[in-house]
Amino acid sequence: MAINLGNIRDECKAIWRCGLNAGQLKAAITAARLLDETGRLVRGASAPDAEALVDGYRKLVFARRLNEQCGALVRQGRLAVYPSSRGQEACQVACTSVLADGDWLFPTYRDTAAIAARGVDPVEVLTLLRGDWHCGYDPNEHKVAPQATPLATQLLHAVGVGHAARLKGENTVVMALCGDGATSEGDFHEACNFAAVFRAPVVFFVQNNKYAISVPLARQSVAPSLAAKAIGYGMPGVRVDGNDLPALEKVLGEAVARARAGDGPTLVEADTYRIESHTNADDATRYRADDEVTEWLPRDPLLRVRTYLTAIGVLDDDREQDIAAAAEEMAAAVRAGVGAETVVDPEEVFAHVYSTLTPQLAEQRAALRAELELEEA
Amino acid sequence: MGAVTKMTMAQAINAALRDAITEDDSVVVFGEDVAQLGGVFRVTDGLHAEFGENRVFDTPLAESGIVGMAVGMAMNGMRPVVEMQFDAFAYPAFEQIVSHVAKLGNRTRGKVRLPIVIRVPYAGGIGGVEHHCDSSEAYYAHTPGLTVVAPATNADAYGLLRAAIAGSDPVIFLEPKKHYFSKEEVDVSVSVPPIGRAVVRRPGKDATLIAYGPSVPVALAAAEQAATEGRDLGVIDLRSIVPFDDETVCAEVRRTGRAVVVAEAPGFASVASEIAARVGERCFHHLEAPVRRVTGFDVPYPPPKLEHHFLPGVDRILDTVDTLQWEEDVA
Ligand SMILES: Cc1ncc(C[n+]2csc(CCOP(=O)(O)OP(=O)(O)O)c2C)c(N)n1
Ligand SMILES: [Mg+2]
């Protein structure tokens, strides 16, 4: 077959026109880093603001403590289930710390700690998992969408919120979260494409924790990286060390700034790891070797920041203890809040299905009320 | 082989898959987490290890992809048995199911047949959060071209799945997940009647309860309770929703003159509604009272702490039976 050089030249020009260069390709494939695994600043990187990083560290400790507390509450039967983000705390913190007040967050079931970091009371967030109601916080008040379970579906909603904001002249940015497995769903593709075509102010943040329940990344995608998929949609893709808080904040911060400036969406992939099972109901030993987990433990996102902050002399024992004590206080409040007996009104199942109760639902509600009264009598 | 074994419904389905894969080289099993993990309900436990990657495999995470690929594989001579992880996670595949799985045979004047089984762990009663407890049978039953099966016993789960895999049309196989781990005796050597036949689980003189899937044990419990109160209720287990066994159902209802349909799904525009209408049309002159339905409310499946108010239970069934215009009321 004869090679048509003319065509190849045209294609190269097209790639050039959409602004892709070698640096951008590299950014989509190699993970950006500021702190290495031993907690040292990588060569050539400028030091992050120390006080801001102490605050970030405090949030990491809170996120870790919340994960531990929720695990304990499941074991005590207080929560039905808990998908832990242990090991992913830097992602959970960074994706909210880069947002401004009016910005939106679109989380999944795994992002309880991110929602808490955004300022929502964890007890309200846990309403879902204690089985009281489907969403326990007011999305409009917090600009946090309900935690999405059907994978990748929320990404399109995020694009819609962002596009509407632009049409209304609002300067809102939307942070849309999903996992590595969810990138295989059709809705992921549609969301990326819509966002790129409409230049929607969205940051797609994929926490690549290497597993979708039992299925490893290699079965989801053989692309050079998940961030590299962005190139096909005509948007930047950036890969970042997902256990490196300052690097995450830098990369996500730049993506947010791009979106806010009207330059459209970015796909950010965090290279991280799910330390625990998918949820407490799962048994990860059925599909992955303990060695693999052990290998990831030293890359812990908390340890790295703590080592760095201690080395530069801004984190001492006193400060560390203050942070730990505050996290303990938060955990105690979560225990008390989740442990408190709540009354869930059975009639509420009819209350919100439509904005006005239909005659049929009114009839069914009356029937349930009669049953309940009979039970009480 | 000693045919009678005590097994759970998950094990019965596992056995059906194993036997089908063993007997027919064209049977393949795939879906999300079905290989090494053995499925989130362990229904495919051990199959990957036993039969290897070509027969039992995990796919990328995309339900539309799973069902769409099954269509192509069936067009090329295979018998795919695919797993949707939960009822509500089958919805991304709806396009493929409704537009292609259901219609390809008709579209091609029967030149292309799709022997696909789509297994769906379905319905509630397990304290699951949102999207894990839907009773989605009406969507499928409303779609011409789909066979819709809902076993209620472990023996039926085995037999009906074998029949579904061996057949030539696509089957939506609804597995009541509440019963995955309940043990019953299963005799795999006894062949079950073909898909489309209901079974009378309990004969009764006074009224007939019509149920399928997870509602069958509830109907049986209600009949048991009614018996202690002097009322003799029969129970029909439909086993298959499409095709529907008018003959068995109507024969029973004509005998008793009274019928109550029991199903977990919201009642409006439901399978229960279709059954009530069919029985009304066919048994009108034998009926002593209107056919009643006991179903879930017309609300999204409630959170775990409220699901027991939603699910049709023994009391609600017996209260409904009480309204069937008994002689003593009329007098
Ligand atoms: C549409 C859909 N299909 C299947 C599921 C069941 N499910 C829940 S979580 C999960 C794995 C998701 O993996 P990933 O996207 O990597 O996120 P992670 O859980 O690792 O955070 C699956 C298959 C679902 N929730 N939604
Ligand atoms: Mg994952």
Side-chain angles (χ1 to χ4, degrees):
Chain A
M1 195 182 77
I3 296 172
N4 183 338
L5 281 177
N7 274 355
I8 291 177
R9 242 177 262 127
D10 282 352
E11 274 168 33
C12 290
K13 267 193 230 148
I15 292 172
W16 185 248
R17 261 201 309 279
C18 86
L20 194 71
N21 60 39
Q24 283 160 330
L25 207 60
K26 188 168 168 240
I29 295 171
T30 38
R33 247 193 194 172
L34 284 181
L35 292 183
D36 70 16
E37 281 167 22
T38 62
R40 266 193 295 258
L41 203 61
V42 299
R43 195 175 333 172
S46 50
D49 180 88
E51 278 313 308
L53 193 54
V54 173
D55 189 50
Y57 178 65
R58 186 184 58 79
K59 289 182 182 163
L60 287 176
V61 173
F62 269 58
R64 172 68 48 89
R65 189 66 191 88
L66 183 57
N67 277 326
E68 286 166 358
Q69 185 56 66
C70 290
L73 286 166
V74 171
R75 288 189 293 278
Q76 294 157 17
R78 292 285 180 183
L79 294 177
V81 65
Y82 185 70
S84 172
S85 60
R86 186 185 184 95
Q88 300 174 223
E89 286 94 346
C91 298
Q92 298 282 299
V93 168
C95 71
T96 59
S97 64
V98 296
L99 296 180
D101 268 354
D103 292 344
W104 272 83
L105 178 70
F106 275 75
T108 76
Y109 50 88
R110 195 171 303 285
D111 302 311
T112 299
I115 305 170
R118 185 72 177 136
V120 184
D121 179 350
V123 179
E124 284 186 21
V125 187
L126 293 170
T127 303
L128 168 72
L129 300 178
R130 73 199 289 219
D132 288 5
W133 198 256
H134 311 295
C135 177
Y137 52 88
D138 177 355
N140 291 317
E141 181 192 340
H142 300 286
K143 303 274 185 277
V144 178
Q147 287 177 280
T149 299
L151 297 166
T153 53
Q154 76 281 8
L155 304 176
L156 281 156
H157 311 162
V159 176
V161 166
H163 190 53
R166 289 220 336 156
L167 294 179
K168 290 163 69 187
E170 294 164 358
N171 203 9
T172 310
V173 172
V174 186
M175 179 68 63
L177 311 184
C178 75
D180 45 309
T183 65
S184 297
E185 290 279 7
D187 278 6
F188 173 81
H189 156 74
E190 294 178 27
C192 288
N193 192 45
F194 270 54
V197 166
F198 291 110
R199 287 176 87 80
V202 177
V203 178
F204 296 103
F205 182 41
V206 180
Q207 291 169 72
N208 176 359
N209 63 9
K210 309 298 179 287
Y211 285 91
I213 309 186
S214 72
V215 180
L217 182 66
R219 194 29 76 96
Q220 298 301 341
S221 175
V222 293
S225 76
L226 297 177
K229 294 186 176 204
I231 294 162
Y233 299 109
M235 68 166 134
V238 185
R239 192 152 196 264
V240 55
D241 184 334
N243 291 8
D244 177 348
L245 180 68
L248 281 159
E249 289 186 333
K250 180 168 182 291
V251 166
L252 289 168
E254 283 164 6
V256 166
R258 243 190 114 246
R260 198 159 339 264
D263 293 335
T266 307
L267 173 60
V268 178
E269 172 194 356
D271 174 22
T272 184
Y273 193 78
R274 195 194 77 206
I275 297 291
E276 294 189 15
S277 287
H278 173 67
T279 68
N280 51 286
D282 176 40
D283 173 11
T285 61
R286 285 178 71 99
Y287 52 81
R288 71 179 182 190
D290 287 344
D291 291 2
E292 195 186 290
V293 185
T294 318
E295 233 172 79
W296 273 88
L297 287 176
R299 307 191 206 175
D300 186 73
L302 273 73
L303 193 63
R304 207 181 293 196
V305 176
R306 174 160 18 102
T307 309
Y308 172 76
L309 289 174
T310 311
I312 64 166
V314 294
L315 187 68
D316 56 17
D317 283 354
D318 280 356
R319 260 188 129 170
E320 179 92 53
Q321 269 162 25
D322 287 350
I323 290 171
E328 242 3 272
E329 215 171 284
M330 176 276 300
V334 170
R335 274 197 305 278
V338 172
E341 283 311 323
T342 43
V343 187
V344 221
D345 178 9
E347 290 185 26
E348 197 175 0
V349 303
F350 302 105
H352 319 290
V353 187
Y354 299 94
S355 40
T356 354
L357 199 70
T358 62
Q360 289 73 34
L361 286 185
E363 205 176 85
Q364 292 172 24
R365 186 180 64 180
L368 177 64
R369 188 174 294 170
E371 270 183 23
L372 294 170
E373 277 164 8
L374 211 67
E375 267 171 38
E376 259 169 46
Chain B
M1 168 183 137
V4 185
T5 328
K6 227 172 168 154
M7 54 173 99
T8 64
M9 187 178 277
Q11 288 165 338
I13 297 168
N14 182 280
L17 292 170
R18 174 175 283 107
D19 292 350
I21 298 171
T22 306
E23 281 174 27
D24 182 345
D25 286 345
S26 67
V27 174
V28 281
V29 169
F30 57 95
E32 295 159 6
D33 302 288
V34 299
Q36 197 159 350
L37 184 64
V40 294
F41 292 106
R42 306 293 183 263
V43 167
T44 54
D45 193 19
L47 299 180
H48 178 257
E50 189 173 339
F51 298 103
E53 182 69 15
N54 288 347
R55 306 295 301 278
V56 180
F57 56 90
D58 284 332
T59 65
L61 213 176
E63 295 76 12
S64 178
I66 292 166
V67 174
M69 190 164 87
V71 169
M73 292 178 78
M75 288 175 74
N76 201 5
M78 308 209 90
R79 292 182 176 272
V81 184
V82 301
E83 176 174 300
M84 300 283 103
Q85 202 157 78
F86 280 84
D87 31 60
F89 304 145
Y91 302 148
F94 204 60
E95 153 85 333
Q96 289 291 344
I97 295 174
V98 171
S99 297
H100 300 295
V101 172
K103 289 181 182 157
L104 208 60
N106 185 64
R107 181 179 299 136
T108 60
R109 295 192 165 110
K111 296 283 188 291
V112 176
R113 287 291 170 203
L114 298 178
I116 298 173
V117 179
I118 302 175
R119 296 183 33 245
V120 186
Y122 101 115
I126 58 157
V129 294
E130 254 202 317
H131 312 292
H132 293 79
C133 298
D134 281 15
S135 287
S136 38
E137 63 269 30
Y139 307 132
Y140 303 117
H142 189 69
T143 303
L146 298 177
T147 296
V148 184
V149 173
T153 67
N154 299 358
D156 269 7
Y158 178 87
L160 290 169
L161 184 55
R162 291 302 306 273
I165 296 172
S168 40
D169 286 325
V171 176
I172 306 291
F173 197 81
L174 301 170
E175 301 169 0
K177 64 174 90 78
K178 188 170 70 178
H179 296 300
Y180 268 145
F181 303 114
S182 46
K183 276 201 167 170
E184 285 170 12
E185 307 242 299
V186 177
D187 186 347
V188 298
S189 66
V190 172
S191 61
V192 298
I195 290 173
R197 292 276 184 70
V199 58
V200 179
R201 290 278 175 222
R202 180 187 171 111
K205 284 203 309 285
D206 296 336
T208 305
L209 305 179
I210 306 165
Y212 54 89
S215 296
V216 173
V218 186
L220 285 167
E224 200 69 30
Q225 172 75 23
T228 66
E229 295 163 10
R231 205 162 258 165
D232 186 9
L233 304 183
V235 175
I236 297 180
D237 172 359
L238 290 179
R239 303 170 70 249
S240 114
I241 296 169
V242 184
F244 188 82
D245 186 353
D246 285 309
E247 206 183 305
T248 303
V249 171
C250 291
E252 279 299 292
V253 176
R254 285 186 191 122
R255 226 166 37 71
T256 61
R258 291 178 171 87
V260 174
V261 188
V262 185
E264 237 178 85
F268 198 89
S270 64
V271 167
S273 304
E274 172 64 25
I275 298 169
R278 304 184 76 77
V279 172
E281 283 167 354
R282 285 166 174 73
C283 307
F284 185 74
H285 293 293
H286 299 80
L287 287 174
E288 306 285 343
V291 180
R292 295 287 313 267
R293 287 166 292 160
V294 181
T295 67
F297 298 124
D298 296 318
V299 304
Y301 197 87
K305 285 196 188 154
L306 297 178
E307 73 175 347
H308 62 287
H309 294 294
F310 172 91
L311 296 170
V314 167
D315 288 346
R316 223 171 259 167
I317 295 170
L318 295 183
D319 286 349
T320 305
V321 168
D322 281 343
T323 68
L324 297 178
Q325 303 182 11
W326 302 93
E327 318 286 88
E328 63 261 35
D329 304 340
V330 182

